[in-house]
Amino acid sequence: MSPAPLRVLVTGAAGQICYSLVYQIASGSVFGKDQPLELVLLDIPMMSAALDGVVMELVDCALPLLHKVIPVTDEKEAFKNVDYAFLVGAMPRREGMERKDLLAANVKIFKSQGRALAEGAKSTTKVIVVGNPANTNAYICAKYAAPKISPRNISAMTRLDHNRATAQIAAKAGVTIDDVKNVIIWGNHSGTQFPDVKHAKVNKGGSATDAYAAVGDEAWLKGEFISVVQKRGAVIIAARKLSSAMSAAKAACDHIHDWHFGTPKDTWVSMAVPSDGSYGIPEGIMFSFPVTIDAATKDWKIVQGLSIDEFAQGKLNATLQELQEERDEALRACEESNI
Ligand SMILES: NC(=O)C1=CN([C@@H]2O[C@H](COP(=O)(O)OP(=O)(O)OC[C@H]3O[C@@H](n4cnc5c(N)ncnc54)[C@H](O)[C@@H]3O)[C@@H](O)[C@H]2O)C=CC1
Ligand SMILES: O=C([O-])CC(=O)C(=O)O
């Protein structure tokens, strides 16, 4: 007998990331090939015709796992009884903007959706915030969803940065993606993030080697590699005149897949979660850490005991400072908004 359907909410469902995302979810790439789904698709009323188009296409995909697809433009209705929520709906940045320039426009969405989560969602709901600035939006969402929804159930996506870092290392070391594990993205999904491979392993010639040894180019690892990953989003916007969508959707799927099924043995992934004080990051800050996830409890743990040298500490301090500034600005914007 197949399990009961999971109710999965996707916001911004008429937008470009979701055009890739909803098919991957509905076809079983996230929750498995035996897990039926009810997909709730939220967008704003102005987008309801486009949303209907997405629904028609999903229906036409004839996907056996998709038991229901429910388009909605009412936030309260959207959040009712959801098991998982992909919060993508928000304004994307354009060329020349930083992600934090979106804060004033987007943070109110996450205040309102935090409240909708508290009002309607299951207390076990797991949430990924994709909309930028993702860490700060997730912080605000968690604040307004508490105490009904534990802040531990709310996260922001840095998996795209994690995947970008993995791909860069694989290319430089001349191996494939599966041969690289345990890169880390620390901090904010922004230009201050710290992609760190000090603890990463590369499988080269049949044995696991430290990434630094496998790459054999410390100057590149401490310079160009970091800046390529930090700036990748902006470079894609300059090339496409639109922000990354296919790779963002894939990363959101990876993030929730690993939260649902757990991380493999001796493997961690990067996720922005409310800090528990690890590595000196003040409690509650939505900071990207290396985490492992237990499949049975679906609970994450920040990987402990990794050495942080002076170079790394400087990077952690810079991204923390930016997150604290964004948090303060977001709190002010929320106080001023009467949503
Ligand atoms: N964390 C990450 O790694 C990444 C984050 N992003 C961010 O994801 C967000 C979405 O990007 P795209 O899909 O390219 O944008 P898009 O503009 O193509 O789609 C956004 C959709 O959200 C909808 N929307 C706006 N307000 C809403 C609300 N209150 N409730 C529900 N839906 C709402 C819009 O009507 C639109 O259909 C942007 O903020 C972008 O910067 C993009 C790539 C990577
Ligand atoms: O850069 C952007 O605005 C979109 C994004 O977050 C990314 O591609 O990492």
Side-chain angles (χ1 to χ4, degrees):
M1 208 176 70
S2 65
L6 282 175
R7 195 170 173 90
V8 178
L9 167 65
V10 178
T11 75
Q16 53 146 4
I17 293 178
C18 292
Y19 196 67
S20 291
L21 177 62
V22 293
Y23 174 75
Q24 292 182 61
I25 298 171
S27 61
S29 300
V30 180
F31 300 103
K33 301 288 179 197
D34 301 317
Q35 176 60 62
L37 301 167
E38 291 177 6
L39 210 46
V40 182
L41 304 182
L42 174 70
D43 211 295
I44 54 176
M46 211 176 76
M47 296 301 287
S48 83
L51 192 56
D52 287 344
V54 173
V55 172
M56 284 187 261
E57 283 212 60
L58 271 172
V59 168
D60 296 349
C61 286
L63 297 162
L65 296 174
L66 192 58
H67 284 203
K68 267 191 201 162
V69 47
I70 308 155
V72 289
T73 53
D74 178 76
E75 200 168 82
K76 276 194 185 160
E77 194 188 332
F79 281 85
K80 265 188 207 145
N81 289 324
V82 296
D83 294 293
Y84 284 91
F86 292 76
L87 305 187
V88 182
M91 191 194 282
R93 68 172 164 153
R94 303 280 174 211
E95 215 168 343
M97 292 170 83
E98 289 300 324
R99 295 184 188 97
K100 63 183 162 199
D101 298 336
L102 298 167
L103 206 148
N106 286 344
V107 81
K108 290 170 228 148
I109 298 174
F110 293 89
K111 174 180 179 181
S112 169
Q113 293 186 352
R115 286 191 174 138
L117 269 164
E119 220 177 292
K122 291 183 182 163
S123 60
T124 50
T125 313
K126 307 274 184 280
V127 178
I128 175 176
V129 173
V130 175
N132 277 320
N135 298 52
T136 299
N137 288 337
Y139 174 87
I140 293 297
C141 183
K143 173 179 159 68
Y144 286 94
K148 158 105 188 279
I149 310 287
S150 163
R152 290 188 62 85
N153 292 7
I154 296 178
S155 64
M157 182 165 100
T158 51
R159 186 61 173 267
L160 177 53
D161 311 289
H162 181 104
N163 289 350
R164 287 168 173 162
T166 302
Q168 291 295 317
I169 296 296
K172 186 80 173 174
V175 299
T176 59
I177 295 293
D178 278 348
D179 291 321
V180 180
K181 75 172 190 178
N182 294 349
V183 306
I184 303 171
I185 303 298
W186 299 97
N188 200 3
H189 173 61
S190 75
T192 67
Q193 67 177 272
F194 175 38
D196 177 13
V197 295
K198 203 73 203 205
H199 309 279
K201 298 280 182 224
V202 173
N203 183 4
K204 218 173 173 182
S207 62
T209 316
D210 287 346
Y212 264 68
V215 167
D217 187 346
E218 187 170 344
W220 181 82
L221 284 170
K222 288 191 158 169
E224 195 182 333
F225 162 69
I226 294 176
S227 107
V228 164
V229 178
Q230 286 174 333
K231 294 186 185 141
R232 188 69 156 194
V235 171
I236 287 171
I237 292 171
R240 263 173 40 88
K241 309 299 172 211
L242 282 171
S243 64
S244 53
M246 175 175 49
S247 55
K250 158 66 165 56
C253 291
D254 289 346
H255 178 122
I256 293 292
H257 173 278
D258 290 347
W259 207 348
H260 187 67
F261 286 107
T263 44
K265 193 171 176 293
D266 299 327
T267 302
W268 62 64
V269 291
S270 303
M271 242 166 99
V273 293
S275 175
D276 58 5
S278 295
Y279 299 97
I281 305 304
E283 264 182 56
I285 294 279
M286 199 59 76
F287 198 91
S288 181
F289 289 103
V291 303
T292 55
I293 298 159
D294 179 77
T297 61
K298 306 202 189 309
D299 206 15
W300 49 262
K301 261 201 204 116
I302 296 170
V303 176
Q304 297 298 312
L306 299 172
S307 58
I308 305 288
D309 61 17
E310 204 179 320
F311 176 79
Q313 191 60 57
K315 302 274 182 210
L316 261 63
N317 294 347
T319 197
L320 170 61
Q321 188 185 334
E322 182 183 50
L323 277 170
Q324 287 171 319
E325 287 165 7
E326 279 186 24
R327 174 202 58 193
D328 294 346
E329 194 183 329
L331 288 171
R332 274 196 301 277
C334 285
E335 267 165 36
E336 284 160 16
S337 110
N338 49 15
I339 287 174

